[in-house]
Amino acid sequence: MTEHVSHQRSDTSAPQAPVRKRFRVQDFARSKNDGHKLTMLTAYDGVTARIFDEAGIDLILAGDSVADNMLGYENTLPVSLDEMIVVARSVSRATKHAMVVADLPFGSYEASPIHAFETAARMMKESGAHAVKLEGGARIAEHIHLLTSSGIPVVGHLGLTPQSENMLGGKRVQARSDAAAEQLCQDALALQDAGASAVVLEMVPAPVAARVTEILAIPTIGIGAGTEVDGQVLVWTDMAGMGDWSPRFAKQFGKVGQALSDATRDYIAAVKDVSFPGPEHTFEK
Ligand code: KIV
């Protein structure tokens, strides 16, 4: 990462550690121009958000995938705005450098531009997020225009939009036909014209994602969209290997679930055989 790193001013000649600045909305355009690949992960709480932030991630998505990944819902539809605000607030409070993007949940913005504004304003005020993400194309362009012209940065989301999975017939690859690919391009341009800062492309054939990336001046962030996009996003539990399964487009970069399970077993065994707590964990009178 080079864009949002600067050096502290100093009167001495001693070399100064680089200071990482917060990723700002202007950094989207700069990244696209510089060919810097954007990195984004979901986080649903402050503990994980802090780890991703300190590791150098550009963007953290307080995603509505918290619904099925953490909260025990079947899909993203049931999660409420109140629940999303708690999630986004926890992520925002723990994050010093990344931009926090908060998902607006299903049913909280679609009805009208005013509906979207009221929800987005509440999210921004109460969570401290820096931007919001909405699913959909031209049909919500006016909503996005009202948000961006009112000072709320927006990330769009096209391709597989999980909040519409009942209409889409499940979680399947989108924009496979020429007509659907053309529609996706038109939708992406509509989001850009409405002032969106970036667009997530989910489960889109790689050549279609490459085409969208080429025609847009704003960055695309892919998930299951190949490499010819301006950045990548993954659900953190898939990235870290929290479970045995992850979608085909995700790669497990660790085995965190196994490590947690091993630690838990060790803890249980140590409590049972009274090797924990040891003298170093124990207070004397
Ligand atoms: O909520 C989420 O995890 C998302 C990603 C799939 C981009 O929207």
Side-chain angles (χ1 to χ4, degrees), residues 76-126:
T76 60
L77 273 67
V79 71
S80 69
L81 178 59
D82 287 344
E83 288 169 314
M84 284 306 303
I85 287 173
V86 172
V87 168
R89 188 188 294 141
S90 165
V91 169
S92 300
R93 283 179 176 161
T95 305
K96 288 204 182 90
H97 307 293
M99 171 183 271
V100 176
V101 181
D103 263 339
L104 300 190
F106 174 69
S108 73
Y109 62 92
E110 299 87 337
S112 67
I114 299 289
H115 189 210
F117 176 76
E118 286 175 353
T119 300
R122 201 179 146 215
M123 175 60 87
M124 300 290 284
K125 275 174 183 283
E126 295 182 28

Short mmCIF file of all heavy atoms in Angstrom, two decimals, residues 76-126:
data_model
loop_
_atom_site.label_atom_id
_atom_site.label_comp_id
_atom_site.label_asym_id
_atom_site.label_seq_id
_atom_site.Cartn_x
_atom_site.Cartn_y
_atom_site.Cartn_z
N THR A 76 -29.58 -13.38 4.46
CA THR A 76 -29.39 -12.00 4.94
C THR A 76 -30.70 -11.25 5.16
O THR A 76 -30.69 -10.16 5.75
CB THR A 76 -28.53 -11.18 3.94
OG1 THR A 76 -29.22 -11.15 2.68
CG2 THR A 76 -27.16 -11.77 3.76
N LEU A 77 -31.82 -11.81 4.72
CA LEU A 77 -33.07 -11.03 4.73
C LEU A 77 -33.56 -10.62 6.12
O LEU A 77 -34.03 -9.50 6.30
CB LEU A 77 -34.18 -11.78 3.97
CG LEU A 77 -34.19 -11.51 2.46
CD1 LEU A 77 -32.97 -12.06 1.76
CD2 LEU A 77 -35.45 -12.06 1.82
N PRO A 78 -33.47 -11.48 7.14
CA PRO A 78 -34.09 -11.10 8.41
C PRO A 78 -33.33 -10.05 9.23
O PRO A 78 -33.92 -9.46 10.13
CB PRO A 78 -34.13 -12.43 9.19
CG PRO A 78 -33.83 -13.49 8.21
CD PRO A 78 -33.00 -12.86 7.15
N VAL A 79 -32.06 -9.81 8.95
CA VAL A 79 -31.29 -8.94 9.86
C VAL A 79 -31.89 -7.52 9.83
O VAL A 79 -32.24 -7.00 8.77
CB VAL A 79 -29.78 -8.96 9.52
CG1 VAL A 79 -29.44 -8.25 8.23
CG2 VAL A 79 -28.96 -8.38 10.67
N SER A 80 -32.00 -6.92 11.01
CA SER A 80 -32.68 -5.62 11.11
C SER A 80 -31.67 -4.48 11.05
O SER A 80 -30.46 -4.67 11.25
CB SER A 80 -33.45 -5.54 12.42
OG SER A 80 -32.53 -5.48 13.50
N LEU A 81 -32.19 -3.29 10.83
CA LEU A 81 -31.33 -2.09 10.84
C LEU A 81 -30.70 -1.92 12.22
O LEU A 81 -29.51 -1.60 12.33
CB LEU A 81 -32.15 -0.86 10.44
CG LEU A 81 -31.41 0.48 10.45
CD1 LEU A 81 -30.20 0.46 9.51
CD2 LEU A 81 -32.35 1.62 10.08
N ASP A 82 -31.47 -2.14 13.28
CA ASP A 82 -30.91 -2.00 14.63
C ASP A 82 -29.73 -2.95 14.83
O ASP A 82 -28.70 -2.59 15.40
CB ASP A 82 -31.97 -2.29 15.69
CG ASP A 82 -32.99 -1.15 15.80
OD1 ASP A 82 -32.72 -0.06 15.29
OD2 ASP A 82 -34.06 -1.39 16.38
N GLU A 83 -29.89 -4.20 14.35
CA GLU A 83 -28.79 -5.17 14.49
C GLU A 83 -27.57 -4.72 13.68
O GLU A 83 -26.43 -4.81 14.14
CB GLU A 83 -29.25 -6.56 14.04
CG GLU A 83 -30.21 -7.21 15.01
CD GLU A 83 -30.88 -8.46 14.46
OE1 GLU A 83 -31.35 -8.45 13.29
OE2 GLU A 83 -30.94 -9.45 15.19
N MET A 84 -27.82 -4.23 12.46
CA MET A 84 -26.69 -3.80 11.61
C MET A 84 -25.97 -2.60 12.22
O MET A 84 -24.76 -2.46 12.07
CB MET A 84 -27.19 -3.46 10.19
CG MET A 84 -27.52 -4.67 9.33
SD MET A 84 -26.16 -5.85 9.19
CE MET A 84 -24.84 -4.84 8.54
N ILE A 85 -26.71 -1.73 12.88
CA ILE A 85 -26.06 -0.56 13.50
C ILE A 85 -25.14 -1.01 14.63
O ILE A 85 -24.01 -0.52 14.76
CB ILE A 85 -27.12 0.46 13.98
CG1 ILE A 85 -27.74 1.16 12.77
CG2 ILE A 85 -26.51 1.49 14.93
CD1 ILE A 85 -28.92 2.07 13.07
N VAL A 86 -25.57 -1.99 15.42
CA VAL A 86 -24.70 -2.49 16.51
C VAL A 86 -23.42 -3.10 15.91
O VAL A 86 -22.31 -2.83 16.39
CB VAL A 86 -25.45 -3.54 17.36
CG1 VAL A 86 -24.51 -4.21 18.35
CG2 VAL A 86 -26.62 -2.89 18.11
N VAL A 87 -23.58 -3.88 14.85
CA VAL A 87 -22.42 -4.50 14.19
C VAL A 87 -21.47 -3.42 13.65
O VAL A 87 -20.26 -3.44 13.91
CB VAL A 87 -22.90 -5.42 13.04
CG1 VAL A 87 -21.75 -5.85 12.15
CG2 VAL A 87 -23.62 -6.65 13.61
N ALA A 88 -22.03 -2.47 12.91
CA ALA A 88 -21.19 -1.44 12.26
C ALA A 88 -20.52 -0.55 13.31
O ALA A 88 -19.37 -0.12 13.13
CB ALA A 88 -22.03 -0.61 11.31
N ARG A 89 -21.21 -0.29 14.42
CA ARG A 89 -20.62 0.55 15.48
C ARG A 89 -19.42 -0.15 16.11
O ARG A 89 -18.37 0.43 16.35
CB ARG A 89 -21.69 0.84 16.53
CG ARG A 89 -21.23 1.85 17.58
CD ARG A 89 -22.26 1.94 18.69
NE ARG A 89 -23.51 2.49 18.24
CZ ARG A 89 -24.71 2.05 18.63
NH1 ARG A 89 -24.81 1.06 19.49
NH2 ARG A 89 -25.81 2.62 18.19
N SER A 90 -19.57 -1.44 16.35
CA SER A 90 -18.49 -2.20 16.96
C SER A 90 -17.26 -2.22 16.04
O SER A 90 -16.13 -2.03 16.48
CB SER A 90 -19.02 -3.61 17.24
OG SER A 90 -17.98 -4.48 17.49
N VAL A 91 -17.51 -2.41 14.74
CA VAL A 91 -16.42 -2.42 13.75
C VAL A 91 -15.78 -1.03 13.67
O VAL A 91 -14.55 -0.89 13.69
CB VAL A 91 -16.96 -2.86 12.37
CG1 VAL A 91 -15.94 -2.64 11.27
CG2 VAL A 91 -17.40 -4.33 12.42
N SER A 92 -16.59 0.01 13.62
CA SER A 92 -16.07 1.38 13.46
C SER A 92 -15.20 1.77 14.65
O SER A 92 -14.14 2.38 14.49
CB SER A 92 -17.21 2.39 13.34
OG SER A 92 -18.00 2.09 12.22
N ARG A 93 -15.65 1.43 15.86
CA ARG A 93 -14.90 1.83 17.06
C ARG A 93 -13.52 1.19 17.11
O ARG A 93 -12.59 1.73 17.71
CB ARG A 93 -15.67 1.44 18.31
CG ARG A 93 -16.83 2.38 18.59
CD ARG A 93 -17.55 1.93 19.83
NE ARG A 93 -18.60 2.84 20.21
CZ ARG A 93 -19.61 2.52 21.01
NH1 ARG A 93 -19.69 1.30 21.51
NH2 ARG A 93 -20.52 3.40 21.31
N ALA A 94 -13.36 0.04 16.47
CA ALA A 94 -12.10 -0.70 16.56
C ALA A 94 -11.14 -0.37 15.42
O ALA A 94 -10.04 -0.89 15.38
CB ALA A 94 -12.40 -2.20 16.54
N THR A 95 -11.58 0.46 14.49
CA THR A 95 -10.85 0.64 13.24
C THR A 95 -10.22 2.02 13.17
O THR A 95 -10.92 3.02 13.31
CB THR A 95 -11.83 0.43 12.06
OG1 THR A 95 -12.44 -0.84 12.23
CG2 THR A 95 -11.14 0.47 10.73
N LYS A 96 -8.91 2.06 12.93
CA LYS A 96 -8.21 3.36 12.88
C LYS A 96 -7.84 3.77 11.46
O LYS A 96 -7.71 4.94 11.16
CB LYS A 96 -6.90 3.27 13.67
CG LYS A 96 -7.06 3.20 15.17
CD LYS A 96 -5.77 3.71 15.83
CE LYS A 96 -5.82 3.63 17.33
NZ LYS A 96 -5.32 2.34 17.84
N HIS A 97 -7.61 2.80 10.58
CA HIS A 97 -7.04 3.12 9.26
C HIS A 97 -7.97 2.77 8.10
O HIS A 97 -7.98 3.48 7.09
CB HIS A 97 -5.73 2.36 9.07
CG HIS A 97 -4.76 2.58 10.18
ND1 HIS A 97 -4.18 3.81 10.42
CD2 HIS A 97 -4.29 1.74 11.14
CE1 HIS A 97 -3.39 3.71 11.47
NE2 HIS A 97 -3.44 2.48 11.92
N ALA A 98 -8.68 1.67 8.22
CA ALA A 98 -9.54 1.25 7.11
C ALA A 98 -10.77 2.13 7.03
O ALA A 98 -11.20 2.71 8.03
CB ALA A 98 -9.95 -0.21 7.31
N MET A 99 -11.35 2.22 5.84
CA MET A 99 -12.68 2.82 5.71
C MET A 99 -13.71 1.75 6.07
O MET A 99 -13.62 0.62 5.58
CB MET A 99 -12.91 3.31 4.27
CG MET A 99 -14.35 3.73 4.03
SD MET A 99 -14.66 4.23 2.33
CE MET A 99 -14.28 5.95 2.44
N VAL A 100 -14.67 2.12 6.91
CA VAL A 100 -15.72 1.17 7.28
C VAL A 100 -16.96 1.44 6.42
O VAL A 100 -17.49 2.55 6.40
CB VAL A 100 -16.07 1.30 8.78
CG1 VAL A 100 -17.24 0.38 9.13
CG2 VAL A 100 -14.85 0.96 9.64
N VAL A 101 -17.36 0.41 5.70
CA VAL A 101 -18.55 0.48 4.84
C VAL A 101 -19.63 -0.38 5.51
O VAL A 101 -19.38 -1.54 5.84
CB VAL A 101 -18.24 -0.08 3.43
CG1 VAL A 101 -19.46 0.02 2.53
CG2 VAL A 101 -17.05 0.64 2.81
N ALA A 102 -20.80 0.21 5.72
CA ALA A 102 -21.87 -0.53 6.42
C ALA A 102 -22.98 -0.90 5.43
O ALA A 102 -23.46 -0.05 4.67
CB ALA A 102 -22.46 0.32 7.54
N ASP A 103 -23.38 -2.17 5.45
CA ASP A 103 -24.49 -2.60 4.61
C ASP A 103 -25.81 -2.05 5.14
O ASP A 103 -26.07 -2.13 6.35
CB ASP A 103 -24.58 -4.14 4.61
CG ASP A 103 -23.91 -4.77 3.42
OD1 ASP A 103 -23.72 -4.09 2.39
OD2 ASP A 103 -23.56 -5.97 3.52
N LEU A 104 -26.64 -1.55 4.25
CA LEU A 104 -28.03 -1.25 4.62
C LEU A 104 -28.82 -2.54 4.40
O LEU A 104 -28.77 -3.12 3.31
CB LEU A 104 -28.60 -0.12 3.76
CG LEU A 104 -27.87 1.22 3.86
CD1 LEU A 104 -28.68 2.32 3.15
CD2 LEU A 104 -27.59 1.63 5.30
N PRO A 105 -29.53 -3.02 5.43
CA PRO A 105 -30.17 -4.33 5.29
C PRO A 105 -31.43 -4.30 4.43
O PRO A 105 -32.02 -3.24 4.19
CB PRO A 105 -30.52 -4.69 6.73
CG PRO A 105 -30.64 -3.40 7.45
CD PRO A 105 -29.69 -2.44 6.77
N PHE A 106 -31.83 -5.48 3.99
CA PHE A 106 -33.03 -5.66 3.17
C PHE A 106 -34.23 -4.98 3.83
O PHE A 106 -34.45 -5.12 5.04
CB PHE A 106 -33.31 -7.15 3.02
CG PHE A 106 -34.60 -7.46 2.32
CD1 PHE A 106 -34.75 -7.18 0.97
CD2 PHE A 106 -35.67 -8.02 3.00
CE1 PHE A 106 -35.94 -7.46 0.31
CE2 PHE A 106 -36.86 -8.32 2.35
CZ PHE A 106 -36.99 -8.02 1.01
N GLY A 107 -34.98 -4.23 3.01
CA GLY A 107 -36.21 -3.60 3.49
C GLY A 107 -36.00 -2.24 4.14
O GLY A 107 -36.97 -1.60 4.56
N SER A 108 -34.74 -1.79 4.21
CA SER A 108 -34.48 -0.54 4.94
C SER A 108 -34.23 0.65 4.02
O SER A 108 -33.98 1.76 4.51
CB SER A 108 -33.29 -0.72 5.89
OG SER A 108 -32.08 -0.76 5.16
N TYR A 109 -34.26 0.43 2.67
CA TYR A 109 -33.91 1.55 1.78
C TYR A 109 -34.60 1.53 0.42
O TYR A 109 -34.58 2.52 -0.31
CB TYR A 109 -32.39 1.56 1.55
CG TYR A 109 -31.85 0.32 0.86
CD1 TYR A 109 -31.71 0.23 -0.52
CD2 TYR A 109 -31.45 -0.78 1.62
CE1 TYR A 109 -31.20 -0.91 -1.13
CE2 TYR A 109 -30.94 -1.92 1.03
CZ TYR A 109 -30.82 -1.98 -0.34
OH TYR A 109 -30.33 -3.11 -0.94
N GLU A 110 -35.25 0.44 0.06
CA GLU A 110 -35.68 0.27 -1.33
C GLU A 110 -36.86 1.15 -1.73
O GLU A 110 -36.99 1.53 -2.90
CB GLU A 110 -36.07 -1.20 -1.59
CG GLU A 110 -34.95 -2.21 -1.39
CD GLU A 110 -34.84 -2.71 0.06
OE1 GLU A 110 -35.29 -2.00 0.97
OE2 GLU A 110 -34.29 -3.80 0.27
N ALA A 111 -37.75 1.49 -0.77
CA ALA A 111 -39.04 2.08 -1.12
C ALA A 111 -38.94 3.42 -1.84
O ALA A 111 -39.75 3.72 -2.72
CB ALA A 111 -39.92 2.20 0.13
N SER A 112 -37.96 4.23 -1.49
CA SER A 112 -37.83 5.56 -2.13
C SER A 112 -36.47 6.15 -1.77
O SER A 112 -35.83 5.71 -0.81
CB SER A 112 -38.92 6.50 -1.61
OG SER A 112 -38.69 6.77 -0.24
N PRO A 113 -36.06 7.21 -2.49
CA PRO A 113 -34.82 7.89 -2.11
C PRO A 113 -34.87 8.41 -0.67
O PRO A 113 -33.88 8.31 0.06
CB PRO A 113 -34.72 9.04 -3.12
CG PRO A 113 -35.41 8.50 -4.34
CD PRO A 113 -36.56 7.68 -3.82
N ILE A 114 -36.03 8.91 -0.24
CA ILE A 114 -36.15 9.41 1.15
C ILE A 114 -35.97 8.26 2.15
O ILE A 114 -35.29 8.40 3.18
CB ILE A 114 -37.53 10.08 1.38
CG1 ILE A 114 -37.71 11.28 0.46
CG2 ILE A 114 -37.71 10.49 2.85
CD1 ILE A 114 -36.84 12.47 0.79
N HIS A 115 -36.58 7.12 1.82
CA HIS A 115 -36.41 5.92 2.66
C HIS A 115 -34.93 5.60 2.82
O HIS A 115 -34.42 5.39 3.92
CB HIS A 115 -37.16 4.75 1.99
CG HIS A 115 -37.27 3.51 2.82
ND1 HIS A 115 -37.31 2.25 2.24
CD2 HIS A 115 -37.33 3.32 4.15
CE1 HIS A 115 -37.42 1.35 3.20
NE2 HIS A 115 -37.44 1.96 4.36
N ALA A 116 -34.20 5.62 1.69
CA ALA A 116 -32.76 5.30 1.71
C ALA A 116 -32.00 6.35 2.51
O ALA A 116 -31.11 6.02 3.30
CB ALA A 116 -32.23 5.22 0.29
N PHE A 117 -32.38 7.63 2.32
CA PHE A 117 -31.65 8.68 3.04
C PHE A 117 -31.84 8.54 4.55
O PHE A 117 -30.88 8.64 5.32
CB PHE A 117 -32.08 10.08 2.58
CG PHE A 117 -31.39 11.14 3.39
CD1 PHE A 117 -30.05 11.44 3.16
CD2 PHE A 117 -32.04 11.76 4.44
CE1 PHE A 117 -29.38 12.36 3.96
CE2 PHE A 117 -31.38 12.68 5.24
CZ PHE A 117 -30.05 12.99 4.99
N GLU A 118 -33.09 8.32 4.96
CA GLU A 118 -33.34 8.24 6.41
C GLU A 118 -32.57 7.08 7.04
O GLU A 118 -31.99 7.20 8.13
CB GLU A 118 -34.84 8.13 6.68
CG GLU A 118 -35.51 9.48 6.43
CD GLU A 118 -37.03 9.46 6.54
OE1 GLU A 118 -37.62 8.37 6.68
OE2 GLU A 118 -37.61 10.55 6.45
N THR A 119 -32.54 5.96 6.34
CA THR A 119 -31.81 4.79 6.86
C THR A 119 -30.30 5.04 6.87
O THR A 119 -29.62 4.76 7.86
CB THR A 119 -32.13 3.55 6.01
OG1 THR A 119 -33.53 3.32 6.07
CG2 THR A 119 -31.39 2.33 6.49
N ALA A 120 -29.79 5.58 5.75
CA ALA A 120 -28.34 5.79 5.65
C ALA A 120 -27.89 6.83 6.67
O ALA A 120 -26.83 6.69 7.30
CB ALA A 120 -27.97 6.22 4.24
N ALA A 121 -28.69 7.89 6.86
CA ALA A 121 -28.32 8.94 7.82
C ALA A 121 -28.28 8.35 9.23
O ALA A 121 -27.36 8.63 10.01
CB ALA A 121 -29.30 10.10 7.75
N ARG A 122 -29.26 7.51 9.56
CA ARG A 122 -29.27 6.87 10.88
C ARG A 122 -28.03 5.99 11.05
O ARG A 122 -27.36 6.01 12.09
CB ARG A 122 -30.56 6.05 11.04
CG ARG A 122 -30.87 5.82 12.47
CD ARG A 122 -32.11 5.05 12.79
NE ARG A 122 -31.78 4.29 13.98
CZ ARG A 122 -32.21 3.08 14.25
NH1 ARG A 122 -33.06 2.47 13.45
NH2 ARG A 122 -31.82 2.48 15.34
N MET A 123 -27.73 5.22 10.01
CA MET A 123 -26.55 4.34 10.07
C MET A 123 -25.28 5.17 10.30
O MET A 123 -24.45 4.85 11.15
CB MET A 123 -26.45 3.53 8.77
CG MET A 123 -25.21 2.68 8.65
SD MET A 123 -25.06 1.43 9.96
CE MET A 123 -25.99 0.07 9.28
N MET A 124 -25.12 6.24 9.54
CA MET A 124 -23.90 7.06 9.66
C MET A 124 -23.82 7.70 11.05
O MET A 124 -22.76 7.69 11.69
CB MET A 124 -23.88 8.16 8.59
CG MET A 124 -23.90 7.67 7.16
SD MET A 124 -22.40 6.84 6.62
CE MET A 124 -21.29 8.22 6.39
N LYS A 125 -24.93 8.25 11.53
CA LYS A 125 -24.93 8.92 12.84
C LYS A 125 -24.65 7.95 13.98
O LYS A 125 -23.89 8.23 14.88
CB LYS A 125 -26.31 9.51 13.12
CG LYS A 125 -26.60 10.88 12.55
CD LYS A 125 -28.08 11.16 12.83
CE LYS A 125 -28.54 12.47 12.26
NZ LYS A 125 -28.12 13.62 13.04
N GLU A 126 -25.31 6.80 13.94
CA GLU A 126 -25.30 5.92 15.11
C GLU A 126 -24.17 4.90 15.10
O GLU A 126 -23.86 4.30 16.13
CB GLU A 126 -26.65 5.21 15.25
CG GLU A 126 -27.78 6.18 15.54
CD GLU A 126 -29.13 5.52 15.73
OE1 GLU A 126 -29.19 4.35 16.17
OE2 GLU A 126 -30.14 6.17 15.42
#
